[in-house]
Amino acid sequence: MPDFGGIRTTFGTADEDSGYGSYRVPRTPELIIEEDEYSDQEYEQQNITREMTREQRLEAHFNQPENLAKLKICQSVARTWLARHNFKKMQQVHQSTLFVSNLSRVQAQARGMLLRRDLEEKKISFESSEDWVVKLQTGARGYLARMKYQRTLAHYKSNLDKIVQIQNYVKNKLVGDAYRRLTTDSNPSIGTVKNFIHLLDDSDLDFDRELALEEMRQTLIQTIRENSQMDAHVNSLDIQIGLFLRNVITIDEVVKSSGAFKKKQQHRRMSELAANSLNSNPYSLRGIDKESRKRLDLYQQLVYVLQTEPCYLARLLSMTGRGDLADGVSARLIESTVLTLFGYATNAREEYLLINLCKCCIDEELGIVESTQEFMRSNYTFMKLVVQTNRGAKERMFFRKLLSPLVGQIVQNEYLDLETDPIAIYHKAINEEESQTGRPSMRKHSATVQDALQDEEVRDTFVMHLQHLREITTNFLQAITATVDDVPYGIRIIARKLRLAMEEAFPNEPQESIVRIIGNFIYYRYLNPAIVAPEQYEVIDAIVLPVQRKNLAEVAKMLQQISSGQEFDSNDIFLAPLNGFVKKSSRDFANWFLELTNVEEPETYFDIHEMNDQISTHKPNVYISPYELFHLHYAIENNMDDIDPLKNGPLRSIIQDLGPSPFSPSLDLPDSILCLTLSHPSDNIPMDPAARQQQLLVDTKRLVIYTIKIQSGESLEAILEAPVGPEHEEAWNSFKTTEFADQQDPIAAKRRYVKLSQLGPPLDLQSLGFYQLKQVTGGFLSYLTKSGAISAEQGYQQVINLIARDITGKNLRRVQRDGELSRIRQTLMHVKKKQNYLTDQRNDYENYLNTCIKRTERREKRSRFGLPFTRQYFHVRKLRREDREPKFGSFKYSGKQLYERGILVEVAGINPRHYDKISIILSMDQVGVITIEGGYSRWAIQPAQVNMPYENLLQTQFEGAQTMDLLDGMVKVNVNLLIYLINKK
């Protein structure tokens, strides 16, 4: 075998051009013959080898171990190369698109077949084990659910306090959102209202108290109506007594007359009565006749309306300030008359009404002005009224307490000088120098401000005056701002009204401007005059000298500048060094002004309400001269369209009933004072329709609540129109069982019944079905819509809004309702007292009248025969014989006698020449009833007769009727003379 030991092969080197990774293609080994020195043995061996064949030599070569190992390596390399070559070819085939698609298809079919086989096997297995599998799954799921529940329960139990907090937060959040919708939405839905409607059922203090309140209010109104009727009856009795006394005077005059003058006195009195019946004084307000009494009542109603309806006088005063009054109307007289109407606010009622007038004046004026500056520049009449009425005795005590120590320090200091004009100080220094030296001063008399201040003495004096002025002003400011509760209430409430009205009228106006207006009113209008002229307001009793008044004026000027919040400008350049002090003090003064406006409303302060005049046993009085009253009537009459622009107020009707005013600029009336007893024009209204309407509204809301509790819908109208099912009737029956169950509870009884009218019986809700309930509710809603109390828009949404308002404002409404109940109880108690007072007064008047009429019984003892053998003598004798003599006498006259006396005016169808054929008999058999019988000899019928109460005669006289018809209209007589004749007999 050949020696392969010299053969060198290289493996593992990568061929750059080959794609077989890290292996190269093996190369043919090269034979390297090394020339070594052979031994003889080796040489012989070579010779033997040459003698062998090629196959033998190869066999011998490879039989050697080392050659065989090398051969194996070469074979391994060859086989590796061939395998990799084949793998690469196979890889290329496998990576081809065709092979991949075919392989994917085969794999998909194989997988699908395997899955279908497995699914079929599982399906067969599951179907055979379905019951067992269901039980296993059920048990497993139950076990898992129980374990999960136990873990959740254990977690909740360990965090129970946190869970409660979260639940409360969520519930409060949901309820808060729903309640916010209830309170903020302009039209809350029925569902939103229904969620909170249970709040109205949590106690018996909601609609039950409303019903009690309305019932008590109705009782109060009914009692007031009865008192008004009784008061009218007492007034009529008073008139009858006045007429009776006036006519009885004639009897006394006749009785006192005697002798030859008797006939003359009788004729004179009859002539006066006839003249009085024909004449009526248009200026008289004190007569007992109907026209005078009616005129007086209308003027009393006029004053009452002007007091209690301040809008009329507010417009009149606004026109007075603008100078828009009609010709002949005096603005100054209007101002004084207004103060007279309110009695100069000398009692609580007049002060309360005057404050309401001023508040209305503020609203009236703010409706005209366009800015706060324009309002501040104007000089309003109502401010004069407020300031003047708040300077009475009580208010002067406030001035004296506040200002007397401060003003006294200035007035009592004879050496104090607060002059702030450098030129005036300069001239005063010259005068003092010349007075002390007796020589002309070296200073020039004509000096400017700069020249005066260059003088050291003048400059020092000027600075000292400013320091003194600042100190004194500080004392005044501290004393004033320390006083709040002592400031008169009238000033504070008007300041409050000014602030609120300004903020509403000018919402974009800065607060400084509004405070400046309040300061102008409080300080400049009210306090400033008392500082400048203290002796006029009884602040001090001393006499104020010119220098002292000048000092007070300087202090007042400083306070005015501080109250206005403005610094001194070029007009007061001398006081400019005090601007820092003014600016700082203005803030303190402004805070004081705002603090004064924090005051309660007049109704609370005076404890006065709308029923106050109705419960008072004594009606309010106003003392006014006829000239002022007629002038006020004239002013209102000539400016009626501006005072009452709507033309439907009570003032217009009163002015129309009064007719033209008797006032004229040349009118001359005696200087007298009238006492007007005020009365409201609607005192005799039988019932307050608004109260009845309010009660109907409360009942309607209650029925609506019952309805929406049972049935739901988009709107109230939709619910009323929706059909009623058995479930609704069943729910309504269940609701009635709980709502009206307690028959002994008076509150439940009130809820059960609803009044359909004032006179008819109440409706029992227990007897109604739900459909009938909806019908009744719809009827109530329709009635309230027609009366204008509610609107039918959006399906009666306004009623839902009212219920929502009851829910949201329940607590506030409870407080208000309790206050109203307390006030109405107190008012009802006072009304009962007034009723007792009027009852006693009526009884006294009736007893007095009966006593006066019964005095005629004393004449029974007097002989009724008269002169013997006269017509009266035979008439009385005949009556006695027939036992028909009236208890209080009977008198027979001929028509001619009565005609000559003026008592008989005419007889229908009979000539006056035949009146001597007429006989007229006047008799009285019953107290207060006059029997008049008349007959004519040529009448074929029986004599006519009539029984007339004496009160009817007095009422006819009061109404101003000069004549009246008797005996079925056949006879006409003079009323005054007939009453005179009856009283005489």
Side-chain angles (χ1 to χ4, degrees):
M1 301 261 328
D3 187 10
F4 292 100
I7 299 175
R8 291 183 298 173
T9 58
T10 304
F11 298 99
T13 304
D15 190 357
E16 295 178 359
D17 299 329
S18 175
Y20 291 95
S22 62
Y23 296 95
R24 294 174 180 265
V25 178
R27 298 178 182 177
T28 304
E30 296 180 356
L31 297 178
I32 302 175
I33 301 175
E34 297 180 357
E35 294 183 357
D36 296 329
E37 293 182 357
Y38 300 102
S39 63
D40 292 339
Q41 188 179 354
E42 291 177 350
Y43 185 77
E44 290 178 356
Q45 186 68 27
Q46 291 178 354
N47 289 331
I48 295 172
T49 303
R50 292 190 190 100
E51 293 178 357
M52 292 181 176
T53 62
R54 185 173 181 272
E55 289 80 2
Q56 291 176 346
R57 287 194 299 273
L58 290 173
E59 182 180 1
H61 176 76
F62 285 108
N63 284 334
Q64 296 179 5
E66 62 274 12
N67 294 332
L68 184 60
K70 294 178 181 179
L71 178 61
K72 289 180 179 180
I73 293 173
C74 291
Q75 290 176 345
S76 176
V77 170
R79 282 195 299 271
T80 301
W81 181 85
L82 290 175
R84 288 177 178 172
H85 183 71
N86 293 333
F87 175 77
K88 182 178 180 182
K89 288 183 178 181
M90 186 61 66
Q91 188 179 30
Q92 289 176 352
V93 172
H94 290 169
Q95 290 178 350
S96 64
T97 304
L98 179 62
F99 182 83
V100 171
S101 63
N102 292 334
L103 181 61
S104 298
R105 191 179 299 111
V106 172
Q107 289 176 343
Q109 291 177 354
R111 284 194 298 269
M113 186 270 295
L114 293 174
L115 287 175
R116 284 191 293 273
R117 187 185 64 182
D118 293 340
L119 180 62
E120 186 66 24
E121 291 176 354
K122 290 181 180 179
K123 183 177 180 182
I124 294 172
S125 176
F126 291 158
E127 287 178 353
S128 62
S129 307
E130 183 176 359
D131 295 337
W132 180 83
V133 172
V134 169
K135 292 180 181 179
L136 179 62
Q137 289 177 344
T138 302
R141 283 195 298 266
Y143 173 76
L144 294 175
R146 284 189 294 273
M147 292 300 295
K148 183 179 180 180
Y149 174 75
Q150 292 295 333
R151 289 193 301 269
T152 304
L153 187 62
H155 175 73
Y156 286 162
K157 287 182 178 180
S158 61
N159 298 279
L160 188 60
D161 53 343
K162 298 179 181 178
I163 293 172
V164 172
Q165 292 178 357
I166 294 173
Q167 288 177 341
N168 290 336
Y169 174 77
V170 174
K171 286 189 292 187
N172 292 337
K173 183 69 167 59
L174 295 177
V175 173
D177 293 341
Y179 192 77
R180 192 175 299 110
R181 290 194 299 271
L182 181 70
T183 56
T184 58
D185 290 353
S186 57
N187 294 316
S189 63
I190 291 183
T192 303
V193 174
K194 193 173 181 179
N195 291 335
F196 294 95
I197 209 168
H198 62 279
L199 296 177
L200 295 176
D201 301 330
D202 57 352
S203 68
D204 295 331
L205 296 177
D206 301 306
F207 286 105
D208 305 328
R209 283 296 183 91
E210 291 285 351
L211 294 175
L213 179 63
E214 290 302 323
E215 182 178 358
M216 190 173 295
R217 185 180 287 114
Q218 288 289 344
T219 303
L220 176 62
I221 293 173
Q222 180 69 22
T223 308
I224 292 175
R225 182 177 65 89
E226 294 175 357
N227 287 353
S228 298
Q229 294 176 348
M230 192 179 302
D231 192 18
H233 179 62
V234 169
N235 290 334
S236 65
L237 290 176
D238 183 48
I239 293 172
Q240 291 180 13
I241 291 175
L243 292 171
F244 185 83
L245 293 177
R246 188 181 72 175
N247 289 292
V248 166
I249 291 175
T250 61
I251 302 176
D252 297 336
E253 291 177 354
V254 171
V255 171
K256 292 177 182 179
S257 300
S258 60
F261 295 98
K262 186 174 182 180
K263 282 286 185 184
K264 294 182 179 179
Q265 292 287 350
Q266 292 179 2
H267 286 296
R268 180 184 62 79
R269 186 56 185 163
M270 287 189 175
S271 300
E272 290 177 356
L273 290 173
N276 290 335
S277 65
L278 295 174
N279 297 329
S280 178
N281 185 3
Y283 306 112
S284 174
L285 297 177
R286 297 174 177 173
I288 307 180
D289 59 286
K290 183 178 181 180
E291 286 299 324
S292 298
R293 190 66 182 226
K294 179 181 178 181
R295 194 181 303 115
L296 178 62
D297 289 341
L298 288 173
Y299 274 119
Q300 291 174 161
Q301 294 174 13
L302 171 66
V303 174
Y304 187 88
V305 168
L306 292 177
Q307 281 188 347
T308 56
E309 299 289 340
C311 57
Y312 298 128
L313 280 180
R315 298 188 186 108
L316 181 62
L317 292 177
S318 178
M319 296 171 62
T320 302
R322 299 194 306 268
D324 295 339
L325 295 174
D327 296 337
V329 178
S330 171
R332 186 181 298 275
L333 186 57
I334 289 292
E335 295 176 8
S336 63
T337 303
V338 169
L339 288 175
T340 303
L341 292 181
F342 294 93
Y344 293 87
T346 53
N347 58 36
R349 178 184 178 275
E350 274 70 27
E351 185 177 0
Y352 165 77
L353 294 174
L354 184 60
I355 288 173
N356 286 342
L357 170 63
C358 295
K359 292 169 68 174
C360 193
C361 287
I362 293 174
D363 294 332
E364 185 71 22
E365 299 296 349
L366 286 179
I368 301 174
V369 299
E370 298 180 355
S371 64
T372 55
Q373 291 77 14
E374 182 181 355
F375 182 87
M376 192 170 180
R377 289 193 300 266
S378 302
N379 186 19
Y380 297 110
T381 305
F382 75 90
M383 287 190 176
K384 302 177 185 177
L385 300 180
V386 176
V387 172
Q388 187 168 350
T389 53
N390 281 276
R391 288 174 179 168
K394 180 176 62 176
E395 290 75 15
R396 288 174 185 266
M397 290 297 297
F398 163 71
F399 284 145
R400 192 175 186 90
K401 178 180 178 182
L402 173 64
L403 300 177
S404 180
L406 301 171
V407 174
Q409 291 179 0
I410 297 176
V411 174
Q412 294 171 5
N413 191 347
E414 300 179 358
Y415 303 101
L416 180 63
D417 188 0
L418 299 179
E419 180 62 62
T420 57
D421 186 358
I423 296 179
I425 297 174
Y426 179 80
H427 288 299
K428 185 176 182 181
I430 294 176
N431 294 336
E432 291 179 353
E433 179 185 358
E434 292 178 347
S435 299
Q436 293 175 359
T437 61
R439 298 177 182 178
S441 176
M442 300 300 295
R443 300 165 176 159
K444 57 181 180 180
H445 290 271
S446 58
T448 62
V449 176
Q450 290 76 13
D451 296 338
L453 291 177
Q454 287 178 359
D455 189 291
E456 183 177 359
E457 181 184 356
V458 173
R459 185 170 59 252
D460 293 342
T461 304
F462 174 71
V463 173
M464 182 180 63
H465 288 183
L466 292 183
Q467 292 175 350
H468 290 169
L469 180 60
R470 175 172 177 170
E471 293 175 359
I472 294 175
T473 304
T474 302
N475 294 336
F476 270 82
L477 187 62
Q478 291 176 351
I480 292 174
T481 54
T483 303
V484 176
D485 296 334
D486 292 338
V487 177
Y489 174 78
I491 296 296
R492 297 184 64 184
I493 190 61
I494 297 303
R496 172 183 173 84
K497 176 61 179 178
L498 275 174
R499 177 175 65 83
L500 297 178
M502 287 289 178
E503 292 174 351
E504 181 180 358
F506 306 104
N508 299 325
E509 193 72 20
Q511 190 179 27
E512 292 77 9
S513 300
I514 297 176
V515 172
R516 189 178 298 118
I517 293 176
I518 299 175
N520 179 74
F521 168 68
I522 296 177
Y523 175 75
Y524 182 72
R525 300 277 185 177
Y526 184 63
L527 292 176
N528 186 74
I531 297 176
V532 176
E535 71 279 6
Q536 297 182 9
Y537 296 91
E538 300 180 2
V539 175
I540 59 174
D541 299 327
I543 299 176
V544 181
L545 300 177
V547 176
Q548 298 166 348
R549 194 175 301 281
K550 173 68 175 176
N551 294 337
L552 292 174
E554 290 292 340
V555 175
K557 183 179 180 180
M558 280 293 298
L559 291 173
Q560 169 61 20
Q561 201 71 20
I562 293 173
S563 68
S564 64
Q566 296 178 349
E567 298 179 353
F568 290 104
D569 53 13
S570 57
N571 295 328
D572 295 297
I573 191 64
F574 312 128
L575 298 175
L578 298 176
N579 281 338
F581 168 72
V582 170
K583 185 176 181 180
K584 177 181 178 299
S585 301
S586 296
R587 292 191 293 268
D588 298 335
F589 226 180
N591 294 333
W592 182 68
F593 292 145
L594 292 177
E595 188 178 1
L596 286 181
T597 61
N598 295 327
V599 65
E600 57 190 355
E601 290 298 325
E603 291 77 10
T604 305
Y605 180 81
F606 293 104
D607 192 20
I608 291 178
H609 50 85
E610 66 275 8
M611 296 293 183
N612 198 71
D613 288 337
Q614 302 290 350
I615 66 177
S616 177
T617 56
H618 299 284
K619 292 185 177 181
N621 295 326
V622 168
Y623 295 91
I624 188 172
S625 67
Y627 188 85
E628 290 177 318
L629 186 61
F630 295 152
H631 175 264
L632 179 63
H633 180 191
Y634 178 81
I636 296 174
E637 180 185 10
N638 287 274
N639 299 278
M640 196 66 214
D641 292 337
D642 295 323
I643 296 175
D644 185 17
L646 298 179
K647 301 181 180 180
N648 58 354
L651 181 65
R652 183 176 292 271
S653 61
I654 293 175
I655 294 297
Q656 290 175 352
D657 292 341
L658 277 173
S661 172
F663 174 81
S664 65
S666 59
L667 180 64
D668 186 15
L669 292 176
D671 188 10
S672 60
I673 297 296
L674 288 174
C675 177
L676 302 181
T677 303
L678 306 187
S679 61
H680 195 280
S682 59
D683 274 349
N684 297 323
I685 294 179
M687 179 56 71
D688 184 9
R692 172 59 183 162
Q693 194 176 83
Q694 182 66 23
Q695 183 178 358
L696 288 176
L697 183 59
V698 172
D699 291 338
T700 303
K701 289 191 293 183
R702 181 157 57 97
L703 297 181
V704 168
I705 288 175
Y706 292 163
T707 303
I708 64 179
K709 278 185 176 181
I710 305 301
Q711 193 171 10
S712 301
E714 295 181 356
S715 65
L716 181 56
E717 186 177 12
I719 293 176
L720 295 176
E721 295 176 354
V724 177
E727 67 278 5
H728 299 137
E729 294 289 353
E730 183 178 355
W732 169 241
N733 292 331
S734 176
F735 177 79
K736 288 190 296 183
T737 303
T738 57
E739 184 75 4
F740 311 129
D742 191 359
Q743 299 294 333
Q744 304 299 327
D745 186 9
I747 301 298
K750 289 182 179 179
R751 289 198 297 263
R752 178 175 173 177
Y753 296 98
V754 174
K755 281 188 176 183
L756 298 179
S757 63
Q758 283 188 293
L759 302 179
L763 177 65
D764 186 4
L765 298 180
Q766 181 73 36
S767 63
L768 299 181
F770 185 64
Y771 177 79
Q772 295 171 322
L773 175 70
K774 290 172 61 175
Q775 295 295 320
V776 174
T777 305
F780 275 35
L781 291 171
S782 177
Y783 175 81
L784 291 174
T785 302
K786 291 180 181 178
S787 62
I790 62 174
S791 172
E793 296 180 357
Q794 301 180 8
Y796 298 108
Q797 180 63 37
Q798 185 178 358
V799 180
I800 302 299
N801 296 342
L802 292 175
I803 297 175
R805 192 182 307 163
D806 290 338
I807 296 173
T808 56
K810 188 183 68 174
N811 290 333
L812 179 61
R813 176 57 184 161
R814 280 182 175 178
V815 175
Q816 293 176 347
R817 184 172 55 236
D818 292 341
E820 290 180 11
L821 284 171
S822 176
R823 287 193 298 270
I824 290 181
R825 288 193 189 99
Q826 185 177 7
T827 303
L828 193 58
M829 180 181 65
H830 290 297
V831 169
K832 292 292 185 182
K833 289 182 179 179
K834 181 176 181 179
Q835 190 175 44
N836 296 333
Y837 169 79
L838 291 174
T839 302
D840 295 340
Q841 193 175 20
R842 180 194 62 186
N843 294 335
D844 292 340
Y845 281 14
E846 289 178 348
N847 293 335
Y848 181 78
L849 269 179
N850 294 332
T851 302
C852 293
I853 294 175
K854 287 180 180 180
R855 288 178 182 176
T856 57
E857 297 180 4
R858 300 176 182 176
R859 303 180 186 179
E860 183 180 5
K861 301 178 181 179
R862 192 174 61 186
S863 176
R864 304 288 183 181
F865 283 99
L867 296 176
F869 310 111
T870 58
R871 181 186 290 108
Q872 177 66 20
Y873 173 82
F874 292 111
H875 170 68
V876 173
R877 189 177 66 174
K878 179 181 179 182
L879 292 175
R880 287 184 177 179
R881 286 178 181 178
E882 297 175 359
D883 196 17
R884 293 188 303 108
E885 184 180 14
K887 187 175 181 180
F888 302 105
S890 178
F891 299 90
K892 186 175 183 179
Y893 300 93
S894 67
K896 182 178 180 181
Q897 288 177 311
L898 297 180
Y899 181 74
E900 291 176 350
R901 296 183 182 183
I903 299 174
L904 180 63
V905 178
E906 65 176 358
V907 180
I910 300 178
N911 194 290
R913 291 180 299 177
H914 304 296
Y915 283 176
D916 56 344
K917 308 292 185 181
I918 299 174
S919 62
I920 297 177
I921 301 174
L922 304 177
S923 61
M924 180 185 293
D925 192 43
Q926 183 180 354
V927 176
V929 179
I930 310 299
T931 301
I932 302 176
E933 181 180 354
Y936 182 47
S937 60
R938 297 183 181 180
W939 282 345
I941 60 176
Q942 293 292 330
Q945 179 178 327
V946 63
N947 294 325
M948 175 176 290
Y950 186 69
E951 295 178 357
N952 291 358
L953 283 174
L954 296 179
Q955 182 65 28
T956 304
Q957 184 187 41
F958 169 72
E959 292 176 356
Q962 300 177 10
T963 60
M964 65 180 301
D965 295 331
L966 299 175
L967 304 177
D968 297 330
M970 293 186 296
V971 178
K972 180 179 291 187
V973 298
N974 186 296
V975 177
N976 293 327
L977 298 180
L978 178 61
I979 293 175
Y980 173 80
L981 178 64
I982 293 173
N983 288 334
K984 186 182 70 171
K985 297 299 180 181

